[in-house]
Amino acid sequence: MCIIISSQIYYMGRWKFNLGVFKRLFLMVRQDRFHCLKPMYCDRMILIFIANGVNIALCVFGLMTRPSDFPTYFLSIFISNLMLYFIYYIIMKVRCQEKIPAYANLFSLIALVLWGFALYFFTTNLTSWEATPAKSREGNHACVLFDFFDYHDIWHFLSSSAMFFSFLVLLTLDDALWLVDRDKILVF
């Protein structure tokens, strides 16, 4: 069902559920004799299968392990989906032989490095939002940067810088298409 809904959203741009959906499906199969099951855009269909597979795996993981930190688990689902689409977009640009500006590649590299360091500081569990403030305060460590900032502050600095460079990548990724007519730009 997830594959059918996401396929319809991707190909049609929206999904509307009513009793006519079954009639339309029956008429489409009757007219096309199962030729309609072959996707028109294999690259897009592969993304749908991978995205659904990752999301189903994350849901199964959540059901099996019952993570105690649900907001972080929920955030990981959103980040995984964002990264899947971002990687897909870059792969499609390379596959369609569109140029990616050198500075966009530089921004990507800087963002990846900053995200790596930010995740390191994020995973050092100093405090817990589930504990009482007094208990959470006991987990604090000495300040490590300029004798004023602790690991949590460093995580904020690094993750905000990583987000900035990630948005710069999104902003500059299509700069090479500036002089290309809109009707000549491939949509994927």
Side-chain angles (χ1 to χ4, degrees):
M1 188 66 167
C2 289
I3 301 289
I4 293 170
I5 292 171
S6 56
S7 299
Q8 190 173 16
I9 289 171
Y10 195 78
Y11 285 119
M12 304 298 187
R14 65 185 175 94
W15 184 67
K16 184 177 178 184
F17 183 76
N18 56 24
L19 295 178
V21 73
F22 299 110
K23 181 180 175 184
R24 287 190 304 271
L25 186 61
F26 173 75
L27 291 174
M28 185 175 64
V29 171
R30 191 177 81 181
Q31 287 175 348
D32 289 342
R33 300 214 193 325
F34 296 104
H35 293 293
C36 61
L37 296 178
K38 182 179 182 256
M40 294 184 335
Y41 309 105
C42 288
D43 299 332
R44 294 179 187 179
M45 190 55 82
I46 289 170
L47 173 70
I48 289 172
F49 280 116
I50 291 172
N52 279 308
V54 167
N55 283 309
I56 290 169
L58 286 170
C59 289
V60 168
F61 173 77
L63 287 172
M64 302 288 275
T65 61
R66 303 270 182 181
S68 61
D69 187 10
F70 185 74
T72 302
Y73 167 71
F74 206 56
L75 181 65
S76 69
I77 293 174
F78 286 125
I79 289 173
S80 299
N81 281 287
L82 175 69
M83 292 309 299
L84 276 172
Y85 186 75
F86 190 64
I87 291 168
Y88 166 77
Y89 189 73
I90 290 174
I91 288 171
M92 290 302 295
K93 283 186 77 63
V94 170
R95 207 161 167 256
C96 294
Q97 298 173 347
E98 289 185 10
K99 291 190 177 208
I100 298 175
Y103 52 88
N105 289 329
L106 177 66
F107 295 154
S108 298
L109 181 66
I110 293 170
L112 282 173
V113 169
L114 286 172
W115 277 121
F117 285 118
L119 284 174
Y120 168 75
F121 285 104
F122 179 75
T123 55
T124 57
N125 296 327
L126 300 177
T127 60
S128 174
W129 60 271
E130 294 173 324
T132 64
K135 274 280 190 207
S136 180
R137 225 174 284 116
E138 289 175 10
N140 288 347
H141 293 295
C143 297
V144 292
L145 184 63
F146 306 125
D147 285 331
F148 188 73
F149 301 110
D150 67 351
Y151 281 4
H152 187 80
D153 298 320
I154 295 171
W155 168 70
H156 278 285
F157 296 145
L158 289 172
S159 63
S160 62
S161 299
M163 278 193 281
F164 172 74
F165 279 101
S166 298
F167 286 126
L168 275 180
V169 171
L170 291 175
L171 183 68
T172 60
L173 198 58
D174 288 329
D175 279 358
L177 298 174
W178 186 61
L179 297 174
V180 178
D181 291 333
R182 285 184 98 161
D183 58 341
K184 302 247 189 305
I185 297 174
L186 294 172
V187 177
F188 39 80

